[in-house]
Amino acid sequence: MLDDTQEAFEVPQRAPGKVLLDAVCNHLNLVEGDYFGLEFPDHKKITVWLDLLKPIVKQIRRPKHVVVKFVVKFFPPDHTQLQEELTRYLFALQVKQDLAQGRLTCNDTSAALLISHIVQSEIGDFDEALDREHLAKNKYIPQQDALEDKIVEFHHNHIGQTPAESDFQLLEIARRLEMYGIRLHPAKDREGTKINLAVANTGILVFQGFTKINAFNWAKVRKLSFKRKRFLIKLRPDANSSYQDTLEFLMASRDFCKSFWKICVEHHAFFRLFEEPKPKPKPVLFSRGSSFRFSGRTQKQVLDYVKEGGHKKVQFERKHSKIHSIRSLATQPTELNSEVPKQSPQSTSLRFGEGAESPGGQSCQQGKELNVSESGPRHSPTLKKSPSGDQQADGAVTAPAEEEEEAAKDRTQQSKRQPPQPGTGSLTGSPHLSELSVTSQGGAAPATVTLSPNLSPDTKQASPLISPLLSDQACPRTEDEEEGRRKRFPTDKAYFIAKEVATTERTYLKDLEVITSWFQSAVSKEDAMPETLKCLIFPNFEPLHKFHTNFLKEIEQRLALWEGRSNAHIRGDYQRIGDIMLKNIQGMKHLAAHLWQHSEALEALETGIKGSRRLEAACRDFELQKVCYLPLNTFLLRPLHRLMHYKQVLERLCKHHPPSHADFRDCRAALAEITEMVAQLHGTMIKMENFQKLHELKKDLIGIDNLAIPGREFIRLGSLGKLSGKGLQQRMFFLFNDVLLYTSRGLTASNQFKVHGQLPLYGMTIVESEDEWGVPHCLTLRGQRQSIVVAASSRSEMEKWVEDIQMAIDLAEKSSGPTPEFLASSPPDNKSPDEATTADQESEDDLSASRTSLERQTPHRGNTMVHVCWHRNTSVSMVDFSIAVENQLSGNLLRKFKNSNGWQKLWVVFTNFCLFFYKSHQDNHPLASLPLLGYSLTIPSESEDIHKDHVFKLHFKSHVYYFRADSEYTFERWMEVIRSATSSASRAHVLSHKESHAY
């Protein structure tokens, strides 16, 4: 697959085969090397794979005379599972080689289309004279001359396509071909008919010539074995099947039969198991049968490793491509900057020396040399060493991708530059941050910026926040200054509660400005909103903004007196907040009419968006601006949520103050007033939260038309594995009170999830089925029409889903009956887990087939809660969302990375399960964000050498962050609200906490 150039490796003769494969992968800087293998002819001229556990010397007896090929071994069902651009490039080379060798058979149109993408990758945009000259010199397929006109015609359609995009399109076409990744093994059936056997990710296939005549999915196969020349497949009993329990095929020899059996064992383990199988204990006296087992990471482990970002991305060039600027595939959500080190075009020769201790050691003169011929198209990665690894083609700013921006990496559409934005009426005008500032939730970003803020300086590179405001190197050390200020602060808990009111009020004012200033300016400029809708929204928000601006000033003035920062001669009279709270809450009662209008405004806005494409485009474009860091309709509910925050604060004050305290009476009176307001609006708030969530989810889904209908209530969304003939496929599930949807992530410019199937809840039953399927945390959901098997990532995740699905089933049973209205545009998927994968494959192909039209759709925020749950392999419920509404917090924190020395002072806003980072509270939009789902919250241990008070730690896999609060109270508050996002509360706890909340 690679070039026949030469490079020496020192590998000990007695080293296991894995050492040799690792040496090749390290030479190529290939992270996903587990998809590849080393193939060579054994002493009987049978082509076999190098066993990774056996010593090399026992497998390759005469290395000087053996050609070892580095080729693709495991072909995944979907090339989007290949995370690295280099991996996709090597797969493209394998397709190119298979075409040339006649292995990948297809019709003339498919062959011409495949070659046209190869030509685009190698010589760039269409030029007919250059095309014909290139095709005359390069033969990609036998009988190519007859296809030349078609190839040239197809190539004309690829103008502007980068080599990475060409690889992607090549694999997109190839994976649909019946012979993609197929290696035929001659055999005979019981009647003596000549057939061919093959193994794929789905199971064992039977071909007659090049036509597939049968398939035995892994879910149906109970046992694989061989006896001499006979290959045996034992099937699970099936009353509906005409097959015998055991199928028998005759192969040319025992060695040939054993070789194919080994390949089947490896494919089953790689695609079906969660982790590498453990070795069997050796028998004491004698053994029966083969001790062979699969060695290496399974596909799930490879995907998890790459998602964690524990590897260093490197840059590479294509040796024969005349296109020098290598850009990453714009439509790949997991790969914005693929890089691999460059190296001179040398070929690979592997040398086995007795004295060699490890790959890359010193050459031994007595060593035997083994040439690894990269037989196949002369088209290999040209590797060049890059010690820093931080350079990227096209002059882009780059940095290794961090976990907290996995969601942001999904943004595949290049957002246009943000237009000049109106003033916000903030207390002090803040200049806009650099264009290179990066936002997570909904913000636009320059196309050349890697959306991965908060990179730990472990790599000694500049922080990918880009702005020096947040880079560890440029940040002033603030410990001494903060310690001095901390000593001057009052120590009364009531002071810190009052301070929390001020800090959260600042954020609330900014959220109001998103509507009153930014959004109003945007729709007025585009003239996209009807006057009736304007009159319903903006006049009901502007009085609130004016009122809370004055409220904030009063609180800040009181805090200044409390801290002794004014000329007040008697501080004691001002060490309270209840009187200001009482006065302003009574003032809010006069604004109650505006609060009642907010639910009507939310409904009217969604109705207007549905009826006007112009308004829909204006709202969508506004959501892509940095200032709109949350879904737009969330801001319309902020005034209702803020009432609950006041109620919580006053409850804490009343609990803190003794009845004799001067502030107790005012606090208690204010609490009574706000409790009455919350009670009046509570029913509306619950209804509107569900309404807002349904419309937010609707933007993330394609394939449905009527998600937000009266009576439908959202319950839970999250990532689960769905068991099919192809193994566990990651799917996004959406649970409502009447139906369970499952979807896959669409690889489109709109970044939405494609609906694959829907299961009505009426009549559904849940069965735990780990023993039946051998998959951890596994459930069978049996509906009236169909059944599916799903697996959660952990026992706790499974229990959450069981609890919520069972509750939804009970609600459906108590209702008037099954809902007649299915979700439109989504025909139900009636497959059972035992069925062949044909139907499932069709749905995947349908998703890919519509890709061209979907790409023309408008850009969409690719970092919503749905995407965060997808990347973190977790779930979140409506109960969690309701708790999150109550657990919002703002304030200054000091942040420290894992291996940095200094602390950075940031303004931090916690909302919507996410930390948003600002330079100061005056900034109009966040610089970066950290979604917290899946993170753990702990206290640093002694070994972490922090030695500071009020420090908490956030960590997810290899990502670690430390934060310092300014007091014991604020430390406990941050711990409390973050814990609400990092660990879901039980339903019993929530329902006791919010008695009136029910689905």
Side-chain angles (χ1 to χ4, degrees):
M1 206 169 82
L2 308 177
D3 264 349
D4 51 353
T5 47
Q6 290 232 319
E7 174 102 2
F9 289 90
E10 281 291 335
V11 179
Q13 282 182 319
R14 299 189 179 279
K18 181 172 173 51
V19 173
L20 180 56
L21 180 62
D22 288 346
V24 177
C25 293
N26 290 337
H27 171 71
L28 295 172
N29 291 286
L30 181 60
V31 175
E32 298 171 297
D34 307 78
Y35 291 102
F36 300 83
L38 296 174
E39 195 180 55
F40 66 96
D42 67 4
H43 62 287
K44 294 184 179 179
K45 304 301 180 184
I46 298 173
T47 300
V48 296
W49 293 100
L50 188 72
D51 190 324
L52 301 186
L53 295 178
K54 281 187 179 180
I56 299 168
V57 70
K58 288 189 176 182
Q59 301 181 73
I60 304 177
R61 303 298 174 91
R62 303 175 66 190
K64 285 186 178 180
H65 306 285
V66 174
V67 175
V68 179
K69 300 177 183 177
F70 178 73
V71 293
V72 176
K73 187 173 187 179
F74 302 111
F75 290 80
D78 187 351
H79 59 286
T80 60
Q81 293 177 328
L82 306 174
Q83 308 293 310
E84 299 286 310
E85 184 180 331
L86 174 60
T87 315
R88 292 191 295 272
Y89 172 52
L90 294 177
F91 266 73
L93 294 185
Q94 183 69 63
V95 169
K96 182 180 172 184
Q97 183 187 58
D98 290 350
L99 273 173
Q101 295 179 348
R103 275 180 167 175
L104 185 57
T105 57
C106 56
N107 60 42
D108 289 351
T109 302
S110 295
L113 191 55
L114 288 168
I115 296 170
S116 70
H117 284 296
I118 296 173
V119 172
Q120 175 71 21
S121 174
E122 293 186 353
I123 67 173
D125 287 343
F126 173 78
D127 180 318
E128 184 167 356
L130 186 60
D131 277 18
R132 295 193 183 277
E133 180 185 349
H134 183 77
L135 290 170
K137 294 178 180 177
N138 298 273
K139 294 298 179 185
Y140 297 104
I141 195 171
Q143 296 86 43
Q144 178 175 298
D145 294 344
L147 300 178
E148 187 171 306
D149 290 340
K150 272 191 176 182
I151 296 169
V152 172
E153 181 185 348
F154 283 134
H155 185 209
H156 185 266
N157 298 327
H158 306 330
I159 292 175
Q161 193 170 280
T162 66
E165 290 168 331
S166 297
D167 291 345
F168 182 87
Q169 296 296 341
L170 179 74
L171 297 177
E172 179 69 29
I173 299 160
R175 78 178 181 95
R176 303 189 198 189
L177 302 176
E178 194 162 69
M179 297 303 294
Y180 173 64
I182 296 301
R183 302 292 181 262
L184 298 177
H185 299 260
K188 292 180 181 178
D189 63 13
R190 280 185 171 176
E191 285 73 38
T193 305
K194 289 184 178 181
I195 57 167
N196 289 305
L197 296 179
V199 62
N201 61 85
T202 56
I204 298 169
L205 312 177
V206 183
F207 286 82
Q208 200 153 37
F210 291 104
T211 304
K212 184 169 70 174
I213 60 173
N214 216 333
F216 302 102
N217 295 331
W218 296 127
K220 291 184 176 182
V221 175
R222 184 178 173 189
K223 183 179 180 182
L224 294 174
S225 60
F226 69 97
K227 292 181 180 178
R228 297 184 178 87
K229 296 192 292 184
R230 291 181 298 148
F231 181 74
L232 306 172
I233 305 176
K234 191 168 187 178
L235 301 176
R236 295 180 185 273
D238 186 353
N240 299 323
S241 175
S242 59
Y243 295 120
Q244 302 173 6
D245 285 347
T246 304
L247 302 175
E248 184 176 308
F249 300 93
L250 190 67
M251 307 192 86
S253 67
R254 179 188 180 277
D255 289 345
F256 197 86
C257 192
K258 182 177 181 180
S259 174
F260 181 65
W261 173 78
K262 283 184 175 182
I263 297 170
C264 294
V265 169
E266 291 182 313
H267 273 72
H268 177 270
F270 183 76
F271 289 109
R272 294 280 286 184
L273 300 186
F274 280 38
E275 56 187 23
E276 178 182 355
K278 296 177 181 178
K280 295 179 181 178
K282 292 185 178 180
V284 179
L285 298 176
F286 58 87
S287 63
R288 291 183 62 189
S290 173
S291 62
F292 174 79
R293 69 177 177 88
F294 171 76
S295 171
R297 295 183 296 190
T298 64
Q299 187 187 31
K300 183 181 186 302
Q301 289 175 311
V302 176
L303 292 172
D304 289 346
Y305 173 75
V306 179
K307 278 186 179 180
E308 286 178 29
H311 61 285
K312 187 174 181 181
K313 294 185 184 255
V314 282
Q315 197 171 17
F316 75 98
E317 288 181 359
R318 298 145 196 271
K319 180 180 177 185
H320 289 280
S321 176
K322 298 181 180 180
I323 307 164
H324 299 295
S325 173
I326 301 300
R327 298 199 307 267
S328 295
L329 179 58
T331 52
Q332 278 297 306
T334 54
E335 186 80 16
L336 286 180
N337 296 296
S338 295
E339 313 161 54
V340 175
K342 305 171 191 173
Q343 178 175 311
S344 57
Q346 297 171 321
S347 120
T348 312
S349 164
L350 306 179
R351 180 173 301 167
F352 301 89
E354 292 285 356
E357 296 179 358
S358 63
Q362 291 298 316
S363 175
C364 178
Q365 289 183 353
Q366 290 82 15
K368 301 174 183 177
E369 185 168 322
L370 165 65
N371 286 327
V372 174
S373 146
E374 287 78 13
S375 63
R378 297 176 178 242
H379 191 83
S380 79
T382 306
L383 303 174
K384 190 190 296 180
K385 294 300 178 186
S386 173
S388 63
D390 61 353
Q391 294 182 350
Q392 181 189 5
D394 296 342
V397 180
T398 183
E402 276 281 53
E403 173 63 32
E404 67 269 15
E405 282 303 311
E406 279 181 323
K409 286 191 291 184
D410 266 321
R411 183 176 302 125
T412 59
Q413 182 74 18
Q414 295 182 354
S415 301
K416 52 190 176 184
R417 285 182 180 269
Q418 190 171 337
Q421 298 177 336
T424 64
S426 57
L427 297 178
T428 57
S430 168
H432 287 304
L433 293 172
S434 161
E435 279 257 331
L436 293 180
S437 298
V438 179
T439 184
S440 170
Q441 294 283 358
T448 54
V449 176
T450 302
L451 296 180
S452 54
N454 305 337
L455 169 68
S456 168
D458 301 0
T459 54
K460 303 303 179 187
Q461 299 177 16
S463 166
L465 280 168
I466 309 306
S467 168
L469 301 171
L470 293 179
S471 66
D472 181 63
Q473 293 85 346
C475 176
R477 301 299 184 255
T478 58
E479 293 101 296
D480 296 338
E481 174 192 349
E482 289 298 312
E483 291 290 348
R485 289 192 62 198
R486 202 173 288 124
K487 290 175 182 176
R488 296 195 303 270
F489 282 160
T491 56
D492 185 9
K493 181 178 179 180
Y495 162 78
F496 292 106
I497 296 176
K499 190 176 178 183
E500 180 182 330
V501 176
T503 56
T504 52
E505 192 74 7
R506 288 170 182 165
T507 297
Y508 175 51
L509 260 183
K510 288 288 185 184
D511 288 348
L512 289 177
E513 288 164 5
V514 170
I515 300 297
T516 60
S517 181
W518 301 85
F519 183 53
Q520 186 171 8
S521 174
V523 294
S524 298
K525 184 179 178 181
E526 298 292 330
D527 194 24
M529 183 178 286
E531 285 299 321
T532 53
L533 187 54
K534 285 184 182 178
C535 293
L536 183 59
I537 296 177
F538 303 120
N540 283 304
F541 273 83
E542 286 162 353
L544 290 177
H545 182 269
K546 183 178 180 181
F547 176 86
H548 286 278
T549 299
N550 293 326
F551 185 18
L552 177 59
K553 287 180 180 177
E554 286 188 49
I555 297 172
E556 290 181 332
Q557 289 169 0
R558 176 59 58 86
L559 285 173
L561 294 170
W562 202 330
E563 295 169 1
R565 291 188 280 124
S566 71
N567 295 324
H569 58 281
I570 304 176
R571 290 176 54 197
D573 292 344
Y574 298 101
Q575 293 181 349
R576 57 198 176 100
I577 191 72
D579 57 331
I580 294 178
M581 296 292 290
L582 177 60
K583 171 192 165 186
N584 283 279
I585 287 171
Q586 288 172 339
M588 284 179 210
K589 297 183 79 172
H590 299 297
L591 298 172
H594 297 293
L595 295 174
W596 283 106
Q597 292 291 320
H598 288 173
S599 61
E600 187 180 340
L602 177 61
E603 291 179 341
L605 178 62
E606 293 298 343
T607 303
I609 288 172
K610 187 175 182 180
S612 168
R613 289 192 175 184
R614 193 171 182 181
L615 178 59
E616 181 187 18
C619 293
R620 183 190 60 242
D621 291 344
F622 180 73
E623 279 198 323
L624 291 174
Q625 293 187 19
K626 295 179 182 180
V627 72
C628 189
Y629 67 103
L630 296 172
L632 174 59
N633 54 16
T634 303
F635 292 100
L636 295 177
L637 295 178
R638 278 298 197 242
L640 301 179
H641 297 159
R642 187 60 177 154
L643 297 180
M644 298 169 62
H645 302 158
Y646 294 141
K647 181 173 178 285
Q648 284 185 333
V649 165
L650 287 164
E651 285 173 345
R652 286 199 296 273
L653 279 169
C654 289
K655 188 176 180 181
H656 170 68
H657 289 315
S660 59
H661 193 279
D663 205 28
F664 180 77
R665 180 172 295 184
D666 286 340
C667 288
R668 189 171 60 179
L671 177 59
E673 298 273 8
I674 198 68
T675 300
E676 181 184 353
M677 291 184 69
V678 168
Q680 291 173 352
L681 291 165
H682 190 259
T684 301
M685 187 167 10
I686 295 300
K687 177 185 173 184
M688 286 302 101
E689 284 176 359
N690 181 69
F691 181 84
Q692 181 268 330
K693 192 56 61 181
L694 288 175
H695 281 275
E696 183 184 337
L697 293 178
K698 185 179 175 183
K699 297 175 186 176
D700 278 314
L701 296 172
I702 52 176
I704 55 172
D705 294 331
N706 56 338
L707 182 67
I709 60 172
R712 176 164 290 139
E713 296 174 1
F714 165 68
I715 297 178
R716 179 175 290 276
L717 65 87
S719 172
L720 292 171
K722 178 178 175 288
L723 190 63
S724 68
K726 296 181 289 185
L728 275 179
Q729 302 291 313
Q730 186 179 8
R731 294 286 180 262
M732 201 70 191
F733 280 74
F734 298 83
L735 176 64
F736 303 93
N737 64 335
D738 59 339
V739 68
L740 176 67
L741 299 181
Y742 58 91
T743 69
S744 66
R745 186 177 62 173
L747 192 63
T748 68
S750 59
N751 261 311
Q752 292 159 296
F753 285 77
K754 167 83 173 187
V755 174
H756 277 230
Q758 51 183 291
L759 288 81
L761 297 178
Y762 187 82
M764 181 185 286
T765 57
I766 310 174
V767 181
E768 291 194 28
S769 47
E770 293 186 8
D771 296 337
E772 180 182 355
W773 296 103
V775 177
H777 322 307
C778 179
L779 301 170
T780 299
L781 305 177
R782 302 191 190 281
Q784 292 184 332
R785 304 185 188 184
Q786 64 189 108
S787 298
I788 64 170
V789 180
V790 298
S793 59
S794 65
R795 169 62 59 175
S796 62
E797 274 293 303
M798 184 183 79
E799 290 170 353
K800 292 177 198 173
W801 278 104
V802 170
E803 183 182 4
D804 280 350
I805 294 174
Q806 189 59 59
M807 180 199 67
I809 292 172
D810 294 342
L811 289 176
E813 295 289 342
K814 292 175 184 176
S815 66
S816 57
T819 305
E821 185 175 9
F822 277 88
L823 297 175
S825 302
S826 296
D829 179 358
N830 294 319
K831 302 181 303 301
S832 72
D834 288 343
E835 287 178 342
T837 60
T838 308
D840 212 5
Q841 187 63 49
E842 285 173 356
S843 63
E844 294 278 4
D845 290 346
D846 175 63
L847 172 63
S848 303
S850 61
R851 185 169 174 272
T852 304
S853 60
L854 288 173
E855 279 183 340
R856 291 195 289 268
Q857 292 182 4
T858 49
H860 177 69
R861 293 178 304 116
N863 50 352
T864 61
M865 188 57 58
V866 181
H867 290 83
V868 175
C869 287
W870 174 271
H871 283 290
R872 303 282 168 82
N873 204 19
T874 186
S875 68
V876 64
S877 70
M878 191 64 202
V879 172
D880 296 323
F881 280 111
S882 297
I883 295 176
V885 164
E886 299 180 12
N887 287 283
Q888 300 184 21
L889 196 58
S890 307
N892 286 309
L893 286 176
L894 298 176
R895 185 188 64 182
K896 178 184 180 298
F897 293 118
K898 184 165 54 177
N899 293 334
S900 62
N901 296 320
W903 295 81
Q904 304 166 326
K905 185 179 179 183
L906 302 171
W907 176 259
V908 182
V909 173
F910 172 75
T911 186
N912 205 36
F913 305 94
C914 192
L915 293 177
F916 294 93
F917 302 105
Y918 301 74
K919 180 194 173 187
S920 76
H921 69 85
Q922 297 166 343
D923 290 347
N924 292 322
H925 57 78
L927 295 170
S929 67
L930 177 62
L932 294 182
L933 288 179
Y935 267 75
S936 297
L937 175 68
T938 58
I939 306 297
S941 63
E942 287 291 330
S943 61
E944 291 173 90
D945 200 29
I946 297 299
H947 305 307
K948 297 289 182 182
D949 294 331
H950 315 316
V951 176
F952 59 90
K953 171 185 173 183
L954 282 168
H955 55 100
F956 177 78
K957 297 184 178 177
S958 61
H959 309 288
V960 179
Y961 307 95
Y962 301 98
F963 294 91
R964 285 173 60 196
D966 58 11
S967 69
E968 183 69 25
Y969 173 80
T970 51
F971 167 75
E972 290 174 355
R973 282 290 294 141
W974 279 107
M975 291 281 286
E976 180 184 351
V977 298
I978 291 175
R979 190 174 285 116
S980 72
T982 55
S983 58
S984 299
S986 70
R987 183 171 303 282
H989 166 75
V990 174
L991 294 181
S992 65
H993 179 62
K994 297 176 67 178
E995 294 178 359
S996 58
H997 188 295
Y999 292 115

